Coordinates of all heavy atoms in Angstrom, one line a residue:
N108 N -9.7 18.7 5.8 CA -9.2 17.4 6.3 C -10.0 16.3 5.4 O -11.2 16.1 5.7 CB -9.5 17.2 7.8 CG -9.0 15.8 8.2 OD1 -8.4 15.0 7.4 ND2 -9.3 15.5 9.5
A109 N -9.4 15.7 4.5 CA -10.1 14.7 3.7 C -10.7 13.6 4.5 O -11.7 13.0 4.1 CB -9.1 14.1 2.7
W110 N -10.1 13.3 5.7 CA -10.5 12.2 6.5 C -11.8 12.5 7.2 O -12.3 11.7 8.0 CB -9.4 11.7 7.5 CG -9.6 10.2 7.8 CD1 -10.1 9.7 8.9 CD2 -9.1 9.1 7.0 NE1 -10.0 8.4 8.9 CE2 -9.4 8.0 7.8 CE3 -8.5 9.0 5.8 CZ2 -9.2 6.7 7.2 CZ3 -8.3 7.8 5.3 CH2 -8.6 6.6 6.0
E111 N -12.3 13.8 7.1 CA -13.6 14.1 7.7 C -14.7 14.1 6.6 O -15.9 14.4 6.9 CB -13.5 15.5 8.3 CG -12.6 15.6 9.6 CD -12.5 17.0 10.1 OE1 -13.6 17.6 10.3 OE2 -11.4 17.4 10.5
D112 N -14.4 13.6 5.4 CA -15.4 13.4 4.4 C -15.8 12.0 4.3 O -14.9 11.1 4.1 CB -14.8 13.8 3.0 CG -15.8 13.8 1.9 OD1 -16.0 12.7 1.3 OD2 -16.5 14.8 1.7
E113 N -17.1 11.7 4.6 CA -17.5 10.3 4.7 C -17.3 9.5 3.4 O -16.9 8.4 3.4 CB -19.0 10.3 5.1 CG -19.5 8.9 5.4 CD -21.0 8.9 6.0 OE1 -21.4 10.0 6.4 OE2 -21.5 7.9 6.0
A114 N -17.5 10.2 2.3 CA -17.5 9.4 1.0 C -16.0 9.0 0.8 O -15.7 7.9 0.3 CB -17.9 10.3 -0.1
L115 N -15.1 9.9 1.1 CA -13.7 9.6 0.9 C -13.2 8.4 1.8 O -12.6 7.5 1.4 CB -12.8 10.8 1.1 CG -11.3 10.6 0.9 CD1 -10.7 11.7 0.1 CD2 -10.5 10.3 2.2
V116 N -13.6 8.5 3.0 CA -13.2 7.4 4.0 C -13.8 6.2 3.6 O -13.1 5.1 3.7 CB -13.6 7.8 5.4 CG1 -13.4 6.7 6.4 CG2 -12.8 9.1 5.9
E117 N -15.1 6.1 3.2 CA -15.7 4.9 2.7 C -15.0 4.3 1.5 O -14.8 3.1 1.3 CB -17.1 5.1 2.4 CG -18.0 5.3 3.6 CD -17.9 4.1 4.6 OE1 -18.0 3.0 4.2 OE2 -17.8 4.4 5.8
A118 N -14.5 5.2 0.6 CA -13.8 4.7 -0.6 C -12.4 4.1 -0.2 O -12.0 3.1 -0.8 CB -13.6 5.9 -1.6
V119 N -11.8 4.7 0.8 CA -10.5 4.1 1.2 C -10.8 2.8 1.9 O -10.1 1.8 1.6 CB -9.8 5.1 2.2 CG1 -8.6 4.4 2.8 CG2 -9.4 6.4 1.5
K120 N -11.8 2.7 2.7 CA -12.1 1.5 3.4 C -12.5 0.4 2.4 O -12.1 -0.8 2.6 CB -13.3 1.7 4.4 CG -13.0 2.5 5.6 CD -14.2 2.8 6.4 CE -15.0 1.6 6.8 NZ -16.3 2.0 7.6
A121 N -13.2 0.7 1.3 CA -13.6 -0.2 0.4 C -12.4 -1.0 -0.3 O -12.6 -2.0 -0.9 CB -14.5 0.4 -0.7
T122 N -11.3 -0.3 -0.3 CA -10.1 -1.0 -1.0 C -9.6 -2.1 -0.2 O -8.9 -3.1 -0.7 CB -8.9 0.0 -1.1 OG1 -8.4 0.4 0.1 CG2 -9.4 1.2 -1.9
G123 N -9.9 -2.2 1.1 CA -9.4 -3.2 2.0 C -8.0 -3.2 2.3 O -7.4 -4.2 2.8
R124 N -7.3 -2.1 2.0 CA -5.9 -2.1 2.2 C -5.5 -1.2 3.4 O -6.2 -0.2 3.7 CB -5.2 -1.4 1.0 CG -5.6 -2.0 -0.4 CD -5.2 -3.5 -0.5 NE -5.7 -4.1 -1.7 CZ -5.1 -4.1 -2.9 NH1 -4.0 -3.4 -3.0 NH2 -5.6 -4.7 -3.9
K125 N -4.5 -1.6 4.2 CA -4.1 -0.9 5.4 C -3.0 0.1 5.2 O -2.7 0.9 6.1 CB -3.8 -1.8 6.5 CG -2.5 -2.6 6.3 CD -2.1 -3.4 7.6 CE -0.8 -4.0 7.5 NZ -0.4 -4.8 8.7
K126 N -2.3 0.0 4.1 CA -1.2 1.0 3.8 C -1.7 2.0 2.8 O -2.0 1.7 1.7 CB 0.0 0.2 3.2 CG 0.6 -0.8 4.2 CD 1.8 -1.5 3.6 CE 2.4 -2.6 4.5 NZ 3.1 -2.1 5.7
I127 N -1.7 3.3 3.2 CA -2.1 4.4 2.4 C -0.8 5.1 1.8 O 0.0 5.6 2.6 CB -3.0 5.4 3.1 CG1 -4.2 4.7 3.7 CG2 -3.4 6.6 2.2 CD1 -5.1 5.6 4.6
I128 N -0.7 5.2 0.5 CA 0.3 5.9 -0.1 C -0.3 7.3 -0.4 O -1.1 7.4 -1.4 CB 0.8 5.2 -1.4 CG1 1.4 3.8 -1.0 CG2 1.9 6.1 -2.1 CD1 1.7 2.9 -2.2
L129 N 0.1 8.3 0.3 CA -0.6 9.6 0.3 C 0.3 10.7 -0.4 O 1.4 10.8 -0.2 CB -0.9 10.0 1.7 CG -1.5 11.3 2.0 CD1 -2.9 11.4 1.5 CD2 -1.5 11.6 3.5
S130 N -0.4 11.5 -1.3 CA 0.2 12.6 -1.9 C -0.8 13.7 -2.1 O -2.0 13.5 -2.1 CB 0.9 12.3 -3.2 OG -0.1 11.9 -4.2
G131 N -0.3 15.0 -2.2 CA -1.2 16.1 -2.4 C -0.7 17.4 -2.1 O 0.5 17.6 -1.7
L132 N -1.5 18.4 -2.1 CA -1.2 19.8 -1.9 C -2.3 20.4 -0.9 O -3.5 20.0 -1.1 CB -1.3 20.6 -3.2 CG -0.5 20.1 -4.4 CD1 -0.8 21.0 -5.6 CD2 1.0 20.1 -4.1
W133 N -1.9 21.1 0.0 CA -0.6 21.4 0.5 C -0.2 20.5 1.6 O -1.1 20.0 2.3 CB -0.5 22.8 1.0 CG -0.8 23.9 0.0 CD1 -0.3 23.9 -1.3 CD2 -1.6 25.0 0.1 NE1 -0.8 25.0 -1.9 CE2 -1.6 25.7 -1.1 CE3 -2.3 25.6 1.2 CZ2 -2.2 27.0 -1.3 CZ3 -3.0 26.8 1.0 CH2 -3.0 27.4 -0.2
T134 N 1.1 20.2 1.7 CA 1.6 19.3 2.7 C 1.1 19.6 4.1 O 0.8 18.7 4.9 CB 3.1 19.2 2.6 OG1 3.6 19.3 1.3 CG2 3.7 17.9 3.2
E135 N 1.2 20.9 4.4 CA 1.0 21.3 5.8 C -0.5 21.3 6.2 O -0.8 21.5 7.4 CB 1.6 22.7 6.1 CG 0.9 23.8 5.4 CD 1.5 24.1 4.0 OE1 2.1 23.1 3.4 OE2 1.4 25.2 3.5
V136 N -1.4 21.1 5.3 CA -2.8 21.1 5.6 C -3.5 19.8 5.1 O -3.9 18.9 5.8 CB -3.5 22.3 5.0 CG1 -5.1 22.3 5.3 CG2 -2.9 23.6 5.5
C137 N -3.5 19.7 3.7 CA -4.3 18.6 3.1 C -3.6 17.3 3.2 O -4.3 16.3 2.9 CB -4.6 19.0 1.7 SG -5.5 20.6 1.5
L138 N -2.4 17.2 3.6 CA -1.7 15.9 3.9 C -1.6 15.7 5.4 O -1.9 14.6 5.9 CB -0.3 15.9 3.3 CG -0.2 15.8 1.8 CD1 1.2 15.3 1.4 CD2 -1.3 14.9 1.2
V139 N -1.2 16.7 6.1 CA -1.0 16.5 7.6 C -2.4 16.0 8.3 O -2.4 15.1 9.0 CB -0.6 17.7 8.3 CG1 -0.8 17.7 9.8 CG2 0.9 18.0 8.1
L140 N -3.5 16.7 7.9 CA -4.7 16.4 8.5 C -5.2 14.9 8.3 O -5.5 14.2 9.3 CB -5.8 17.4 8.2 CG -5.4 18.9 8.5 CD1 -6.6 19.8 8.1 CD2 -5.1 19.1 10.0
P141 N -5.3 14.5 7.0 CA -5.7 13.1 6.9 C -4.7 12.1 7.3 O -5.1 11.0 7.8 CB -6.0 13.0 5.3 CG -5.2 14.1 4.8 CD -5.2 15.2 5.8

Side-chain angles (χ1 to χ4, degrees):
N108 180 6
W110 209 259
E111 292 180 45
D112 185 272
E113 186 174 348
L115 183 139
V116 174
E117 288 301 315
V119 173
K120 286 172 60 179
T122 68
R124 312 297 175 85
K125 69 174 184 177
K126 295 181 186 288
I127 300 174
I128 302 169
L129 176 65
S130 63
L132 307 175
W133 297 317
T134 322
E135 66 271 26
V136 180
C137 300
L138 290 196
V139 164
L140 301 182

